[in-house]
Structure formats: structure tokens, C-alpha cells
Amino acid sequence: MHDIELSEEQVMIRDMARDFARGEIAPHAQAWEKAGWIDDGLVAKMGELGLLGMVVPEEWGGTYVDYVAYALAVEEISAGDGATGALMSIHNSVGCGPVLNYGTEEQKQTWLPDLASGKAIGCFCLTEPQAGSEAHNLRTRAELRDGQWVINGAKQFVSNGKRAKLAIVFAVTDPELGKRGISAFLVPTDTAGFIVDRTEHKMGIRASDTCAVTLSNCTIAEANLLGERGKGLAIALSNLEGGRIGIAAQALGIARAAFEAALAYSRDRVQFDKPIIEHQSIANMLADMHTRLNAARLLILHAARLRSAGKPCLSEASQAKLFASEMAEKVCSSAMQIHGGYGYLEDYPVERYYRDARITQIYEGSSEIQRMVIARELKHYLV
């Protein structure tokens, strides 16, 4: 896609991320998947390049330009490796974002410079075994005892859970208040009682550490409350727009990598005396893939521009995430089909792209939740 309405700075950031992804991420993605871990040195380099502080202003050590630049960078990193794109997107949106938006001056000074530089990776402990999209149905409890918060409970599907140095934990502080009784806490992961039970074995993005976590009498200072007591659910839901833009961009990056692999293969693979791209059925598949990619990018950039301007964009971000994630599965499936039997082998990256893409329809709000959000907005839609 041409650089339509992108500033010179946005193009520069995109191209930097693209060069980095192609040179230092993509060649190692398969090895990291087998290891179940993204190389620590690579994560440190991402921090040095400013890729881990893209939603944080410069005054706190970040590299914020706008959400357009952020979305473009997430797309490029994800095209190199979906798992690395997941680490980047989740760390920026729900690792850095809540501290930036709700932290006290002291909390920001303590955590944001390290988060923005990648010296500390963040994770988001909201989901529980019985509470996924129903975020208010939490069983984790936090009690104030002698000036300290004592947290007990279990969290599930914690991305960056093993790598993180800071966990943003949501727990019920006032059970009688229902949704208004949930609070958020900053929990250093080296705190006694913060226990990573296991790293999950997943269908895709296997190098991204997704963990089950137990909090057993995990005790932190009273000052580690993030935001106001009882405002936890609002904090959890406040960054949906940025988070969904990031996952949409991740889906787009994975799908674009699959498309580029299929395009290259179709030019080289000869059947019936000509490259298969010259067969109309294959050409039509590639045309549809290319169109879907560009449509997804336009939805993402539209939502990103609204977010950068400080305008509400929950529906637009949900539309971008819904379309991009479902598009990614279709495009990756087509890429596999174009490769034929080779597409089903680990020797070719398209089988990994197909597996990596599938999660984008589930996390940061499933496709069903996105449709609920979009439909709810239609009640106020003027015709």
C-alpha cells in the first residue's frame, strides 16, 4: 500500500521497524517458537529502539508520536514474528498504558522509564479461570491489613507473565459493591506470593509466554494501589481502544507476511508450464488477499487517528480488530492453499502464520464481544 496520508516521521518509524523485523526478528522466529521464548537480547534491542515505549511521552522516557506510528510499527514487528508482535503490543497497551493514565507521580517515576526502555516488561492480570469477557466476575481478593494490601487469587492467560517485572493485578476490595468494588494494583513480580504456576502450551504465538498465575498472600504497600479504590473495572476497560488497535495491527502483520510468502511462492512455482500466479484461480486468490489487507489497514489507521486526536473510537477500534483478525485467518488459509502440500509443512512459514493468526480473534475481546460493542454503538447511530 502506498504511503497515503502518512507523515515523514510515521514513515521513518515504520521503515525502521520493518528493517529491524526483517533483519533481526524473522530469521529467528522459527527457533524462538521451538524454544518457547523470545531472545532476551532481542527484547533489549526493541527497548533501545523505542519500540517498547511507544505510548509513553518523552518526559517519562517514552517515544510517543501518535497511535498511527504505533500501529504501523506493531504491524511490521508482527510481520517478522507474531509472538514478538504480541509481546510488544501487550506491553505497550496494557503494561505501560494504565501506569501512564492512572499512576501517581511517584508510581510513574518508579516504573515508566524502565517500562518504556524495556528494562521492565509489564503484564496484565485480569482474566481468571471463570472470568474472561465477564471481567467484573472476579474472585481474586485484596484486603488492607496494617497498611498493606494482601492479595489472594488465581489469574489465567497472562501474556508476558513469566518475563514481566511488573504485574497490573485486578482484585475485589469491596465485595458488597459489585462492579464498583474492584481495584487495580501494581505488583512487582518478585514479590513473595506472586507465583507463575506454568507457561501454557499453545497452538500459536508459542514464543510468547502466556502463564497461569497464583497470588498467595501476596503483600504489597498500600501505595501500590493504582488509581482510586473501586475504579479497577474502569481502569481495565479504559484502554480497550488502544489494545484493540494493537491486536488489529498484529493480525494485519501476520496476514501480510503470509500474503508476501504466497506471492513469492506463486511466482516461483511452475505448474502446467507457467508460474502458478499466471493461473486465474491463483491470481484471484492473491487479489482478494491484497484487497483484504489494505481494507484492514485503512480501518486500523482510521481508528488510530481518532485515538491520537483524543476522540472516542471504541466502535472504530472494535471494527478494526474484528475485521483484521477474521481477515487474517482467511488470508493465512489462502496462503497455505497456494503453497499446496508444502504449506502444511513446518519447512515453510505459512503454517506458523496460520496458527499465530488464530488467537487474534480471541484475546483483547473475542469477535463476539467486538460485535456486541459495535452493535451497542448503533443504537446512537444517525441515519
Side-chain angles (χ1 to χ4, degrees):
M1 186 177 180
H2 299 296
D3 300 338
I4 299 172
E5 296 182 12
L6 296 182
S7 70
E8 186 177 337
E9 188 172 27
Q10 290 164 350
V11 170
M12 181 181 69
I13 291 169
R14 182 202 63 189
D15 291 350
M16 174 275 292
R18 179 177 297 174
D19 291 344
F20 179 67
R22 289 179 175 175
E24 302 197 43
I25 296 177
H28 308 290
Q30 194 78 357
W32 295 339
E33 178 180 72
K34 291 186 185 303
W37 189 254
I38 300 164
D39 180 70
D40 293 341
L42 185 281
V43 177
K45 287 182 182 177
M46 290 175 70
E48 291 167 9
L49 289 172
L51 293 167
L52 298 177
M54 292 194 75
V55 304
V56 179
E58 196 173 330
E59 65 180 294
W60 300 109
T63 54
Y64 179 75
V65 173
D66 57 25
Y67 272 83
V68 171
Y70 170 61
L72 293 167
V74 172
E75 177 190 339
E76 296 302 333
I77 297 303
S78 301
D81 175 38
T84 307
L87 183 155
M88 175 184 172
S89 175
I90 291 159
H91 169 76
N92 272 286
S93 63
V94 293
C96 298
V99 181
L100 174 68
N101 295 322
Y102 294 94
T104 62
E105 193 74 11
E106 184 178 353
Q107 288 170 343
K108 290 178 183 178
Q109 289 176 358
T110 299
W111 286 107
L112 280 181
D114 281 354
L115 288 169
S117 67
K119 291 178 182 176
I121 297 297
C123 68
F124 194 75
C125 298
L126 176 62
T127 300
E128 297 183 1
Q130 82 295 334
S133 297
E134 192 183 21
H136 61 274
N137 186 26
L138 301 184
R139 292 179 184 165
T140 299
R141 296 288 186 264
E143 297 179 22
L144 193 57
R145 302 178 192 167
D146 301 322
Q148 293 182 308
W149 290 104
V150 181
I151 307 175
N152 286 281
K155 297 296 180 177
Q156 184 67 34
F157 303 130
V158 180
S159 299
N160 301 339
K162 185 178 178 182
R163 183 184 296 273
K165 290 187 177 179
L166 176 68
I168 298 172
V169 177
F170 295 84
V172 176
T173 49
D174 302 279
E176 70 281 1
L177 296 180
K179 294 180 182 180
R180 295 183 177 86
I182 298 170
S183 300
F185 301 90
L186 298 177
V187 181
T189 59
D190 61 359
T191 303
F194 185 94
I195 303 160
V196 177
D197 292 320
R198 64 183 180 276
T199 303
E200 305 290 5
H201 298 282
K202 309 185 297 293
M203 172 182 172
I205 60 167
R206 292 175 179 170
S208 169
D209 51 312
T210 304
C211 302
V213 170
T214 295
L215 297 117
S216 179
N217 289 323
C218 186
T219 304
I220 55 173
E222 186 173 0
N224 282 36
L225 176 71
L226 179 65
E228 296 178 30
R229 179 169 177 163
K231 297 293 185 182
L233 189 60
I235 293 170
L237 300 179
S238 67
N239 210 45
L240 292 178
E241 296 170 345
R244 287 172 182 173
I245 289 168
I247 300 305
Q250 180 201 12
L252 173 61
I254 296 168
R256 199 193 82 211
F259 166 73
E260 290 173 352
L263 182 61
Y265 183 84
S266 71
R267 289 168 175 165
D268 292 338
R269 176 71 166 169
V270 174
Q271 292 285 276
F272 303 103
D273 301 321
K274 58 185 177 182
I276 62 173
I277 193 172
E278 295 181 20
H279 293 285
Q280 196 64 55
S281 60
I282 301 298
N284 286 347
M285 289 173 69
L286 290 163
D288 286 344
M289 294 160 74
H290 186 50
T291 300
R292 289 186 175 116
L293 288 166
N294 284 336
R297 187 177 293 105
L298 289 171
L299 280 170
I300 293 166
L301 294 183
H302 175 56
R305 288 189 174 106
L306 290 173
R307 175 80 168 170
S308 299
K311 296 179 180 178
C313 63
L314 184 55
S315 177
E316 289 82 0
S318 292
Q319 290 173 53
K321 201 264 190 188
L322 172 65
F323 184 85
S325 62
E326 296 195 347
M327 172 278 298
E329 184 177 3
K330 291 185 179 75
V331 167
C332 291
S333 179
S334 294
M336 187 181 291
Q337 192 73 19
I338 288 169
H339 278 73
Y342 291 113
Y344 205 66
L345 303 181
E346 289 185 1
D347 306 53
Y348 288 77
V350 290
E351 69 87 29
R352 173 166 52 85
Y353 300 148
Y354 184 81
R355 290 186 289 102
D356 286 353
R358 188 59 182 84
I359 187 58
T360 63
Q361 294 178 56
I362 298 173
Y363 65 4
E364 199 68 42
S366 66
S367 290
E368 291 72 27
I369 293 296
Q370 307 308 326
R371 288 185 168 92
M372 285 173 56
V373 170
I374 296 162
R376 193 179 299 138
E377 291 286 317
L378 292 177
K379 294 178 183 179
H380 311 290
Y381 189 79
L382 297 177
V383 295

